[in-house]
Amino acid sequence: GSGPLAMTVCVLGSPTAFLPVLLEGGTRCPGAMVLCLSPAWATRVPSETSPGAWSLLLSRGVSFEVGGHSALDTFVPPRRATYVTGTFAAGDAEGGWVAELARDLDCPTGGSGPLARRLEDTLGTRWVLAARAGLPVPPTLAFVLGSRGDLPAEPVAAGVRVVRLEDPQGQESLVQEE
């Protein structure tokens, strides 16, 4: 069971960042790389092997072959994804449906919505690197509205200064002072 039908690497969302992987994968294992461009092309069903998890079944997809050839395929019966990755970025228009389809799958995934949000959070990342790992970070002055549950009340980290603003109105002098 190591042919293209035994393995389906599914890329959810925009192919832009994954095109080299899709093309090379199509060369090395023709038909195993499938691009899913729409949430209507995939279905989540309860996993038969992992209670509480889901399997991702693909009814359509763009498959990649040797030489960069690709084709829009309809899969009857639907193909089960054995590895899933995609555009999980929170700011990406597709990030919502991609993260939802990839949530709690019974196969390995190349990311998640929460991981993408964490990696895109410059302040949180710098605080973790400086405070928890003791690594140097660029000097950072951050203004935060309200509280952030992921940061301690008084985050102490070398090179990172956090100023909490309860209301941005009327706090211009505090901002100027900092």
Side-chain angles (χ1 to χ4, degrees), residues 5-99:
L5 294 179
M7 176 177 66
T8 301
V9 176
C10 176
V11 174
L12 298 170
S14 173
T16 305
F18 298 95
L19 197 53
V21 173
L22 290 164
L23 293 171
E24 182 64 19
T27 298
R28 297 201 181 251
C29 194
M33 303 297 294
V34 177
L35 173 63
C36 178
L37 294 169
S38 169
W41 295 3
T43 305
R44 288 166 47 94
V45 297
S47 173
E48 295 177 2
T49 58
S50 302
W54 299 86
S55 292
L56 188 65
L57 301 180
L58 303 171
S59 58
R60 295 190 85 183
V62 178
S63 61
F64 289 79
E65 304 289 334
V66 175
H69 297 281
S70 60
L72 178 59
D73 291 324
T74 300
F75 305 116
V76 179
R79 274 177 77 171
R80 183 180 174 277
T82 56
Y83 181 85
V84 175
T85 193
T87 52
F88 298 102
D92 191 312
E94 299 171 331
W97 70 263
V98 169

Side-chain angles (χ1 to χ4, degrees), residues 9 19-20 46 58 60-61 71 79 86 105 111 113 117 131 135 155 160-161 166 170 173 175:
V9 176
L19 197 53
L58 303 171
R60 295 190 85 183
R79 274 177 77 171
L105 293 179
R117 284 188 295 280
L135 296 173
V160 178
R161 170 111 170 91
E166 295 306 318
S173 62
V175 171

Side-chain angles (χ1 to χ4, degrees), residues 114-135:
L115 178 61
R117 284 188 295 280
R118 175 67 76 187
L119 293 175
E120 291 173 355
D121 178 5
T122 304
L123 175 59
T125 301
R126 286 185 182 181
W127 180 78
V128 167
L129 290 173
R132 293 204 178 156
L135 296 173

Side-chain angles (χ1 to χ4, degrees), residues 135-161:
L135 296 173
V137 298
T140 304
L141 173 60
F143 295 95
V144 178
L145 287 176
S147 66
R148 285 209 22 193
D150 61 331
L151 293 175
E154 293 296 322
V156 179
V160 178
R161 170 111 170 91

